[in-house]
Amino acid sequence: MIARRTAGATRFTAARRRISVGVMLRYVLRRMISLGLSLLVASALIFSVVELVPGDPASFMLGTGAQPETVAALRQQMGLDQPLPLRYAAWVGALLQGDLGQSFTYKTPIGGMILERMQVSLPLALMALTLAAAIAFPVGIYAAARRGKAGDAAVMGGTQLGIALPNFWFAMLLVLLFAVKLRWLPAGGFPGWSQPDAALRSLILPAVALALPQAAILARVLRSALIETQGQDYIRTARAKGLTAGQTLRRHALRNALIPVLTIMGMQFSFLLAGAIIIENVFYLPGLGRLIFQAISQRDLIVVQSAVLVLVAAVIAVTFLVDLAYAAVDPRLRNR
Amino acid sequence: MIDLRDLSVTIRGTQVLRDVDLRLHPGSITGLVGESGSGKSMTALAIMGLLPHRAQIGGQVMLDGQNLLTMSEPALCKIRGRRIGMIFQEPMTALNPLMTIGDQVAEVLRIHHGMDRTAALARARERLDRVGLPDPRFPLTLYPHELSGGQRQRVAIALAIAERPDLLIADEPTTALDVTTQAQILDLLAGLVREEGMALLLITHDLAVVAGLADRVAVMKAGEIVEEGPTETLFRTRSHPYTHQLFAASRHAPSRHAPATGSPLLRIRDAVREYRLPGGDRLRAVDGVSLTIGRGESVGLVGESGCGKSTLTRAILGLDPLQGGTIALDGRQVMAGRRMPRDLRARMQVVFQDPFGSFDPRWRVARLVAEPFHLTDRPAGWRDRVGAALSEVGLHPDDADRYIHEFSGGQRQRIAIARALIIRPDLIVLDEAVSALDVRVRAQVLDLLAGLRRSHGLSYLFISHDLSVVRGITDRVLVMQKGRIVEDGAAEQVIDTPSAPYTRRLVAAMPRIPTDWVA
């Protein structure tokens, strides 16, 4: 009887494992399809918005005094005289073959331009986010542990300041102190990764300037998530086991509070990737944000289109990673 | 031995415990009974040293000659989980959802003895085996969500007894569980006390539970122990008037008029309701159910959680579609969603279990009670109708201007009944409607329901896991198991002489006070 039940249980467990592998595969497949669809919708949206923006690239390139015939000839050369659907199809067709097109202004492949800018933007975003998390975790945990006491109030006030301060102003203060006065770090510019040491040093101040408000937001989210988690029944169970308040917080509350924190971090990373434009300008960094900004002002529409699409792809990829992180944190999400 | 002497607790000026004296002996079970808010859980938390920070505490909690109340927090951490273990009411949320059950049990051993993980896990395995979660069916690597409520309560017990404590406090350990699971958990607790010689403080509102288990019983009211003694003596004498009242209320059955013989009102034929599970399998939650409820009839539907009673209820109310069969109310077909006509919907109303979760806290009672009027268009004198409905359920018409948080659990359930009554339905579905109420309040609400049924000719579908309540208020009982009706008969007959094996199991698991004790 017992033996039979055991065999049944083993079969049951094996069956469940098999199902979970099948479910996982189907999940990934479903995500890939939805990722592809999202990109398609995004491409159509980006294309139409860029088309709606006033300003003809050809007349912009030739200046205000150009003859209409010259402009028309350039438009034809650039393919701008073709009907919209055809141009959209041509763009997407090229994208599918990995060709992001050629810049109108610089006549260079856009893929290479974006790649070059990514070498600044990606490390910068990663550094800023790591720094933000490194500040936010101890601060958020401290505030949650001292909920309602002076330490908590001080931290909450500080984070509000951190969110309210304009980061470009903070960036300039950093430059004045660390670059101008102390001369520890460069005030701006980017020497390229051929000199890894100098490259890294030039990213430190911008990363700090970017990280501060993000750290403040993250610390607040972590604090409130921790406080909510600490009201749960299993925290009471942990206390009844004989864990101290501190052990309970570290061993039980923290991991349970991670889900909202991960959500915010995913959003912050996407923002940092392209939203660092003001900081890039303050520090003269050749990042992705500046590339897009310049392309817009030069009516280099094809660059705008392709760069924005790459960003959308990055955001979708980050969201996917965050979902995987949820599953890593929470076993209940693994079989969905 | 644990000895409470003159234990008093005051929180924000309110005295919640007053001079509580209680002795807990090794190898013996003490039942602590009382209504919600009487101070049962506060007593437990005071012993554990886990009262809210603002609490002012007086008296003594003595463990081996040491007063726990004057002990430092680090010293208390060495007592909790090692000398005193505790389990709580809600097994579904009592375990950390992100930690395996093995690690959660092992953690107790690791923090108290600095045991390494492998050794602690080996001991955890032993303890899980002891509480009835044997290897290999229940590997240490399971997570709480992979277990049922009863199994999770076993894990909670395993971690509370991991250190073989001197005292185990069980605060309503089976209130959230089905009767058969409850019987198993109570058996387990009694066995642990016998074999490991620990003292057990069993906190419950259910007199029948302590009757079958406790050596001694203490009755608590408004922060005081009003009566204490050996179980049988206390149950036989009931010398304190409050004990007497609790007894009367727990056995209360409202007077019922003869079963109605009206024409059929609700007719269900071969109803099938299926769910698609993740992974593509189908679960047939309701499997070919047929039943009839006559006009003016009160029908009970009992079964354990997961048997399909809630799913069936949702289909009856027209909230979910059926995959087969039909449901008809007074000859008109019930359909899910928008296809169901409003005037048909208006003829059925529902009262749910949770008196705290089923109202919008920002609405006044008038608006809450008048809500069903969206099905019939609000009549001109709707405010008078609200007042009348409130009077009918024993509240004052002026209560219409108050908010829901100003009412007690029992009053809220009365408001829920007023809300169901206001559009004068033919059928009211009572989904565990009295399960969350204290015995005395429950007795009053049952009387109210019986009276309303008489005066309005209402039909009830009374869904409950509690057979004794069902027996008191319904004419006929249906027993549901795995999506099917396995027994259908007069209430007394089904419960006193059950014929289906499943019903027999349910009835056998039902805790009860021996009849000669209450004679």
Side-chain angles (χ1 to χ4, degrees):
Chain A
M1 170 64 202
I2 291 168
R4 203 175 65 217
R5 197 200 276 170
T6 311
T10 322
R11 253 200 323 275
F12 170 68
T13 317
R16 197 170 54 189
R17 294 266 148 71
R18 224 173 21 248
I19 287 170
S20 94
V21 169
V23 167
M24 191 64 210
L25 273 176
R26 208 172 312 158
Y27 169 75
V28 171
L29 200 72
R30 229 183 23 232
R31 287 300 300 244
M32 298 303 268
I33 292 170
S34 91
L35 193 144
L37 282 176
S38 310
L39 277 180
L40 194 70
V41 171
S43 71
L45 216 67
I46 293 164
F47 185 81
S48 8
V49 168
V50 166
E51 282 304 321
L52 283 176
V53 173
D56 174 42
S59 30
F60 185 84
M61 284 164 78
L62 294 170
T64 37
Q67 298 292 319
E69 300 82 47
T70 332
V71 174
L74 184 62
R75 282 179 61 87
Q76 193 183 9
Q77 195 190 330
M78 290 165 78
L80 291 176
D81 57 335
Q82 302 277 332
L84 272 184
L86 259 179
R87 280 165 48 210
Y88 174 69
W91 179 52
V92 171
L95 281 177
L96 286 178
Q97 293 162 32
D99 178 12
L100 297 185
Q102 266 213 347
S103 160
F104 295 155
T105 318
Y106 303 107
K107 311 282 180 230
T108 50
I110 297 168
M113 290 166 72
I114 292 176
L115 209 63
E116 199 179 296
R117 299 303 182 105
M118 274 289 191
Q119 290 176 11
V120 177
S121 287
L122 200 61
L124 182 61
L126 280 173
M127 277 170 74
L129 194 65
T130 312
L131 195 62
I135 298 169
F137 270 79
V139 167
I141 292 170
Y142 173 86
R146 282 181 184 51
R147 182 189 182 187
K149 296 184 186 158
D152 180 27
V155 165
M156 283 299 96
T159 55
Q160 243 163 13
L161 203 67
I163 295 170
L165 287 184
N167 64 0
F168 60 89
W169 178 75
F170 180 62
M172 287 189 273
L173 289 188
L174 287 177
V175 170
L176 284 176
L177 181 62
F178 292 101
V180 178
K181 197 165 162 79
L182 297 173
R183 298 186 174 280
W184 289 353
L185 293 164
F190 185 72
W193 286 106
S194 51
Q195 310 162 45
D197 194 42
L200 216 55
R201 279 161 54 86
S202 67
L203 291 183
I204 290 176
L205 286 185
V208 171
L210 282 172
L212 189 79
Q214 307 304 330
I217 294 169
L218 208 55
R220 293 180 78 95
V221 171
L222 179 61
R223 172 186 174 271
S224 58
L226 274 174
I227 286 173
E228 202 197 313
T229 313
Q230 281 187 296
Q232 300 289 322
D233 284 352
Y234 53 80
I235 298 297
R236 190 178 56 183
T237 305
R239 294 285 282 144
K241 280 177 173 181
L243 271 75
T244 63
Q247 284 174 322
T248 308
L249 184 97
R250 286 191 301 277
R251 293 185 188 210
H252 292 273
L254 191 56
R255 204 167 151 207
N256 277 286
L258 271 186
I259 293 277
V261 173
L262 283 172
T263 311
I264 298 292
M265 284 181 76
M267 283 157 53
Q268 289 182 324
F269 184 74
S270 309
F271 164 77
L272 288 170
L273 208 53
I277 168 136
I278 296 176
I279 293 298
E280 285 173 9
N281 267 331
V282 172
F283 289 96
Y284 300 104
L285 291 178
L288 211 53
R290 281 182 90 205
L291 173 73
I292 296 173
F293 185 73
Q294 283 163 358
I296 291 172
S297 50
Q298 291 164 349
R299 297 296 181 278
D300 200 347
L301 298 184
I302 181 81
V303 171
V304 177
Q305 263 166 231
S306 297
V308 171
L309 193 65
V310 168
L311 281 176
V312 170
V315 169
I316 293 174
V318 168
T319 312
F320 181 59
L321 286 179
V322 169
D323 281 356
L324 289 183
Y326 287 163
V329 168
D330 193 339
R332 288 167 296 184
L333 302 175
R334 279 172 211 166
N335 273 0
R336 289 211 183 141
Chain B
M1 187 177 66
I2 302 256
D3 203 351
L4 313 189
R5 295 177 195 158
D6 298 328
L7 178 66
S8 295
V9 172
T10 304
I11 296 175
R12 284 193 223 158
T14 313
Q15 187 152 22
V16 293
L17 292 182
R18 197 188 305 266
D19 301 329
V20 172
D21 287 300
L22 199 60
R23 290 188 141 205
L24 306 170
H25 302 274
S28 109
I29 301 175
T30 306
L32 184 59
V33 297
E35 295 179 299
S36 47
S38 61
K40 308 185 298 284
S41 297
M42 279 296 164
T43 308
L45 293 177
I47 298 172
M48 293 295 282
L50 288 175
L51 285 170
H53 291 301
R54 287 176 296 270
Q56 294 167 299
I57 311 163
Q60 294 175 320
V61 176
M62 303 301 289
L63 170 71
D64 292 347
Q66 282 179 295
N67 183 3
L68 298 184
L69 297 183
T70 55
M71 229 178 231
S72 69
E73 172 63 22
L76 275 176
C77 283
K78 293 197 176 69
I79 302 275
R80 280 183 217 125
R82 199 157 74 91
R83 307 288 310 275
I84 309 175
M86 182 160 178
I87 56 172
F88 301 93
Q89 174 169 352
E90 200 31 87
M92 299 311 275
T93 51
L95 301 173
N96 184 342
L98 309 185
M99 224 169 151
T100 64
I101 59 170
D103 279 330
Q104 298 198 47
V105 177
E107 187 178 34
V108 186
L109 304 156
R110 295 174 71 188
I111 53 168
H112 288 295
H113 295 292
M115 230 184 239
D116 67 61
R117 183 154 180 258
T118 325
L121 281 176
R123 275 284 292 283
R125 179 69 271 163
E126 227 172 76
R127 300 270 75 184
L128 284 169
D129 288 344
R130 175 62 191 89
V131 299
L133 299 175
D135 199 30
R137 226 180 121 206
F138 298 97
L140 295 173
T141 50
L142 287 177
Y143 285 97
H145 73 273
E146 298 173 286
L147 300 174
S148 69
Q151 290 164 349
R152 290 187 210 194
Q153 195 61 300
R154 286 174 192 271
V155 176
I157 293 172
L159 61 87
I161 60 154
E163 287 280 343
R164 298 174 196 272
D166 304 84
L167 169 66
L168 176 64
I169 303 174
D171 190 354
E172 303 273 5
T174 56
T175 306
L177 303 174
D178 287 322
V179 273
T180 50
T181 317
Q182 162 167 288
Q184 292 161 5
I185 295 287
L186 293 176
D187 258 3
L188 169 64
L189 289 174
L192 285 167
V193 169
R194 236 182 357 256
E195 284 164 35
E196 315 214 344
M198 62 180 78
L200 174 65
L201 177 62
L202 180 67
I203 296 173
T204 177
H205 68 282
D206 191 339
L207 291 164
V209 165
V210 289
L213 206 63
D215 302 300
R216 296 181 73 84
V217 175
V219 180
M220 205 162 198
K221 183 198 178 193
E224 283 181 278
I225 291 184
V226 295
E227 191 171 0
E228 198 265 348
T231 308
E232 189 175 338
T233 319
L234 186 134
F235 273 59
R236 282 182 186 274
T237 55
R238 283 163 266 149
S239 49
H240 195 280
Y242 180 70
T243 315
H244 200 85
Q245 282 174 27
L246 278 186
F247 259 80
S250 72
R251 301 172 52 77
H252 181 78
S255 61
R256 264 184 295 137
H257 60 118
T261 46
S263 53
L265 176 67
L266 183 78
R267 202 191 275 271
I268 303 178
R269 287 283 162 270
D270 307 315
V272 173
R273 176 85 182 102
E274 284 184 334
Y275 290 109
R276 197 184 291 274
L277 297 174
D281 295 345
R282 283 168 171 279
L283 173 75
R284 199 169 259 224
V286 174
D287 189 4
V289 166
S290 298
L291 64 92
T292 308
I293 298 178
R295 207 173 277 283
E297 196 183 16
S298 173
V299 174
L301 179 62
V302 299
E304 298 188 291
S305 49
C307 74
K309 36 184 211 302
S310 301
T311 309
L312 180 62
T313 312
R314 289 185 59 82
I316 292 173
L317 291 169
L319 299 174
D320 287 336
L322 289 178
Q323 277 71 48
T326 55
I327 299 175
L329 185 70
D330 207 9
R332 293 172 64 190
Q333 183 144 1
V334 170
M335 287 173 294
R338 286 163 193 280
R339 290 183 304 151
M340 179 146 157
R342 289 200 305 166
D343 64 318
L344 187 59
R345 265 192 205 284
R347 302 183 60 180
M348 283 191 278
Q349 287 292 302
V350 62
V351 177
F352 291 109
Q353 171 174 4
D354 185 1
F356 296 92
S358 47
F359 293 104
D360 188 324
R362 289 178 191 81
W363 287 13
R364 285 180 202 276
V365 167
R367 191 172 166 200
L368 291 170
V369 172
E371 214 187 350
F373 279 137
H374 76 270
L375 293 170
T376 57
D377 296 326
R378 202 145 74 179
W382 70 275
R383 276 212 150 255
D384 298 334
R385 290 270 294 270
V386 169
L390 288 173
S391 304
E392 273 185 308
V393 298
L395 296 170
H396 197 273
D398 291 346
D399 288 333
D401 292 322
R402 295 164 68 191
Y403 288 99
I404 198 72
H405 69 261
E406 301 173 52
F407 296 89
S408 69
Q411 288 172 323
R412 288 176 199 215
Q413 223 47 343
R414 286 171 187 268
I415 293 169
I417 295 168
R419 173 168 67 181
L421 274 182
I422 197 155
I423 45 171
R424 300 183 184 139
D426 299 319
L427 174 68
I428 297 185
V429 177
L430 300 152
D431 190 354
E432 301 277 5
V434 298
S435 304
L437 304 178
D438 280 319
V439 279
R440 289 189 304 165
V441 180
R442 185 177 78 190
Q444 292 160 5
V445 172
L446 290 178
D447 279 340
L448 169 68
L449 287 171
L452 290 172
R453 182 179 151 212
R454 245 191 327 269
S455 55
H456 291 267
L458 290 168
S459 302
Y460 291 150
L461 177 59
F462 194 95
I463 297 157
S464 181
H465 66 281
D466 189 337
L467 293 147
S468 58
V469 175
V470 169
R471 187 182 195 277
I473 185 146
T474 61
D475 309 318
R476 196 152 57 86
V477 172
L478 308 167
V479 181
M480 197 166 180
Q481 181 197 19
K482 291 182 184 157
R484 292 172 173 276
I485 304 285
V486 295
E487 187 155 1
D488 176 351
E492 287 79 6
Q493 181 205 323
V494 168
I495 291 163
D496 297 341
T497 53
S499 63
Y502 177 71
T503 318
R504 270 190 235 132
R505 277 212 304 282
L506 279 186
V507 171
M510 207 170 112
R512 55 180 104 211
I513 303 166
T515 36
D516 59 317
W517 288 13
V518 286

